[in-house]
């Protein structure tokens, strides 16, 4: 019912919860006062002693109480908002900081969609826990004691009976907790699985359509949706049953209090005013706990989500990463490196390669040969490799991530551009970047003239840069990468989604960068690699061939075969285009 670790995150929110409870107790005092006023007027009416001034006084008192309660309810809503808002902000900051620390390691236990669900909807679920459940919990513990003290002055027997019945609801809640935890765990697991499949399908919708695999994915999503529906119905079934049990206890206890008070009145032990007071206030014994039960079910959803949050926050930091890269020696060496995403899928097998400092090295091969996996290892998107990867004399697994991210920049086929302006996207390369530097780089990537015809650096970028062509997107991403001024650049299929003209332009830029920086080019088009200092040809996760372009062509192996096939295919395509133009 109370999660100690969540309580520890409250910080300043504790004062808002305390004020929430105090205001609720003030409301209770107003309720008791109103009941006593009405009981007194009923007693006087029964005895025939009522006068006009009594009615006026009671009416004024009731009106004041109603106004005060209205004001107190607004204050309670504000306290609830402030309490939950502070904690939600604290939690999201902690999750964000942890993700920055973990980098891509979070994928060892969580999918990206699961992280998004937990940090957004999961945290929102805690709003009821902190804003309503906790204040109601503390109020529910205090209110019955206050009511017992008040009602015992009227009838100790009725007050004691109500107090004895009071613990039955907490007992029922504790019993429900054990069942609820299991059901909620299945619910959140099913919800996360469905969200993961949905995100993956939406992101790959174009690919699914091309390969006509959308129907199969639709069936998979329907299966997951059905699992989620069953989990949701089980959750609702549990909630409805538990609410029914609490209702029986709450209203049964209140009815018992009414019966006892009436019997006491009939025996002459209490007067009419006392009987009325017990009847009206007996419900107050159970209503707070009944509300607590209602909040409990929603709060349990948040608590279940918080278990996932704490799994993220408890992921251990990589304490081995204590070394910085030596800028005087940034040679990259792979020695007997193997890597597998899982036990059944080994991608790289005993890879050996050397990427000299300020050299232009290409890694090529057919799809699935492990090219991008190597890029992922260097940029830490992939970890837990076997063998040795060193930058200079320092093992990659011991290099400080922040230092590595300052030295290496990766540009892939789908580099992300943020919604905003060109200036906003380029400014991400560094706080000290000036507009003059931005314009100079835009000229290098042949984007300056186009932007000048728009709105210059203030040109708006839509979400996912939907208002730019593929070539323009890549050139802007290149401009940002150049402004970052890293020591090592990795271009992973950076020209795969652009037209031939843009591809040639981008390759000129890459070759210019290679004159001063270390450049690793991953490309499916071997023509782009001709001027490389060294080429590694991968097949089935191993280095099949290596050397310069001329050496590999003279070898007349797999590289030469694919190069010739691509050249012939491109010459045929150009011929067809020429014929169409005529």
């Amino acid at each position: 019912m109370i999660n100690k670790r969540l309580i520890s995150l409250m910080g300043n929110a504790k004062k808002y919860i305390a004020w929430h409870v105090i205001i609720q107790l003030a409301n209770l005092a107003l309720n008791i006062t109103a009941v006593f006023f009405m009981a007194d007027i009923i007693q006087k009416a029964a005895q025939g002693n009522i006068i006009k001034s009594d009615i006026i006084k009671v009416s004024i008192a009731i009106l004041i109480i109603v106004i005060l309660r209205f004001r107190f309810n607004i204050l309670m809503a504000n306290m609830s908002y402030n309490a939950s808002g502070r904690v939600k902000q604290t939690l999201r900051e902690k999750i964000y900081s942890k993700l920055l620390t973990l980098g891509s390691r979070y994928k060892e236990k969580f999918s990206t969609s699961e992280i998004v669900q937990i940090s957004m909807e999961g945290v929102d679920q805690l709003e009821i826990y902190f804003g309503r459940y906790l204040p109601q919990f503390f109020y529910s513990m205090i209110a019955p004691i206050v009511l017992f003290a008040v009602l015992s002055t009227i009838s100790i027997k009725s007050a004691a009976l109500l107090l004895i019945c009071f613990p039955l609801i907490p007992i029922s809640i504790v019993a429900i907790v054990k069942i609820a935890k299991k059901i909620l765990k299945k619910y959140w697991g099913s919800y996360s699985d469905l969200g993961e499949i949905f995100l993956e399908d939406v992101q790959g919708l174009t690919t699914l359509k091309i390969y006509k695999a959308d129907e199969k994915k639709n069936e998979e999503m329907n299966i997951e949706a059905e699992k989620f529906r069953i989990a949701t119905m089980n959750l609702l079934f549990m909630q409805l049953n538990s609410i029914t049990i609490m209702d029986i206890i709450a209203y049964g206890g209140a009815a018992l209090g009414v019966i006892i008070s009436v019997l006491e009145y009939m025996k002459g032990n209490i007067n009419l005013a006392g009987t009325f007071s017990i009847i009206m206030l007996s419900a107050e014994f159970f209503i707070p706990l009944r509300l607590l039960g209602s909040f409990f079910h929603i709060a349990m959803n948040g608590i279940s989500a918080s278990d996932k949050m704490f799994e993220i926050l408890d992921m251990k930091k990589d304490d081995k990463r204590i070394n910085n890269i030596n800028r005087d020696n940034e040679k990259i060496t792979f020695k007997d490196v193997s890597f597998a995403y899982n036990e059944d899928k080994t991608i790289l097998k005993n890879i050996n390669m050397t990427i000299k400092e300020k050299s232009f090295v290409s890694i090529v091969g057919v799809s699935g040969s492990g090219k991008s996996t190597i890029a992922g290892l260097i940029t830490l998107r992939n970890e837990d490799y076997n063998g040795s990867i060193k930058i200079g004399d320092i093992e990659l697994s011991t290099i400080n991530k922040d230092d590595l991210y300052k030295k290496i920049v990766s540009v892939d086929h789908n580099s992300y551009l943020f919604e905003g302006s060109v200036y906003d996207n380029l400014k991400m390369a560094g706080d000290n970047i000036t507009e003059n530097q931005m314009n100079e780089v835009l000229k290098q990537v042949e984007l300056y003239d186009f932007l000048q015809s728009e709105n210059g650096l203030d040109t708006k970028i839509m979400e996912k840069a939907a208002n730019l062509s593929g070539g323009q997107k890549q050139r802007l991403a290149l401009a940002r990468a150049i402004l970052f001024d890293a020591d090592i650049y990795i271009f992973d299929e950076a020209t795969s989604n652009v037209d031939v003209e843009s591809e040639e332009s981008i390759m000129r830029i890459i070759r210019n960068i290679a004159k001063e920086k270390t450049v690793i080019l991953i490309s499916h088009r071997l023509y782009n690699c001709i001027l490389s200092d060294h080429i590694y040809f991968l097949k089935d996760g191993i280095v099949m061939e290596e050397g310069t372009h001329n050496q590999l062509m003279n070898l007349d192996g797999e590289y030469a075969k694919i190069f010739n096939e691509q050249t012939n295919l491109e010459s045929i395509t150009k011929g067809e285009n020429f014929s169409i133009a005529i």
Side-chain angles (χ1 to χ4, degrees), residues 331-488:
K331 180 177 69 174
I332 302 172
T333 55
F334 281 63
K335 186 176 180 181
D336 298 327
V337 174
S338 297
F339 177 81
Y341 288 108
N342 53 58
E343 293 180 358
D344 301 325
K345 193 175 182 181
T346 301
I347 304 299
L348 300 177
K349 305 164 189 174
N350 300 318
I351 296 292
N352 291 283
M353 61 173 61
T354 300
I355 301 168
K356 294 179 181 179
E357 191 174 356
K358 295 183 180 179
S359 65
F360 181 15
V361 173
S362 292
I363 302 173
V364 298
V366 297
S367 296
S369 59
K371 306 184 300 295
S372 294
T373 302
I374 289 175
L377 287 171
I378 298 171
T379 56
L380 304 185
R381 289 199 304 268
N382 302 322
E383 297 187 56
D384 298 327
Y385 57 87
N386 293 319
S388 173
I389 304 175
K390 290 184 178 181
I391 300 180
D393 298 322
I394 305 170
E395 187 65 34
L396 183 65
S397 60
T398 69
I399 294 175
N400 182 289
K401 286 187 176 182
D402 290 336
D403 185 62
L404 185 133
Y405 293 147
K406 291 175 184 176
K407 304 291 196 309
I408 298 178
V409 166
S410 177
V411 180
D412 61 24
H413 68 283
N414 194 28
S415 295
Y416 199 88
L417 296 173
F418 293 89
E419 184 177 2
S421 67
V422 170
Y423 178 88
D424 295 333
N425 276 274
L426 294 181
K427 193 67 176 178
M428 295 180 71
D431 293 334
N432 298 323
I433 303 295
T434 65
E435 291 189 14
N436 286 336
Q437 288 174 306
M438 292 180 188
N439 286 322
E440 285 301 316
V441 168
L442 289 172
K443 290 176 182 176
Q444 289 180 42
V445 300
E446 301 175 11
L447 203 56
Y448 179 80
D449 292 338
F450 164 74
L451 291 175
Q452 289 304 304
S453 67
E454 297 291 320
N455 201 21
L457 292 173
D458 294 324
T459 300
K460 293 296 180 184
I461 302 295
M462 294 171 62
E463 185 178 356
K464 293 186 178 180
N467 56 326
L468 298 180
S469 69
Q472 289 167 342
K473 289 179 189 177
Q474 285 302 87
R475 291 182 194 192
L476 188 55
L478 270 172
R480 185 171 60 190
I482 293 169
L483 284 169
F484 191 79
D485 195 27
D487 295 341
I488 301 167

Side-chain angles (χ1 to χ4, degrees), residues 109-111 113-115 117-118 185-201 220-228 231 308:
K109 294 184 69 176
F110 300 95
S111 64
S113 62
E114 196 171 8
I115 292 291
Q117 286 171 329
I118 292 167
K185 188 174 181 180
K186 289 181 179 178
Y187 170 83
W188 270 99
S190 178
Y191 181 53
S192 297
D193 291 342
L194 179 61
E196 184 177 352
I197 288 177
F198 177 76
L199 179 63
E200 181 184 337
D201 289 352
E220 290 178 5
M221 184 176 284
N222 286 340
I223 292 170
E224 290 300 325
E226 178 62 17
K227 290 179 182 177
F228 179 61
K308 292 277 188 181

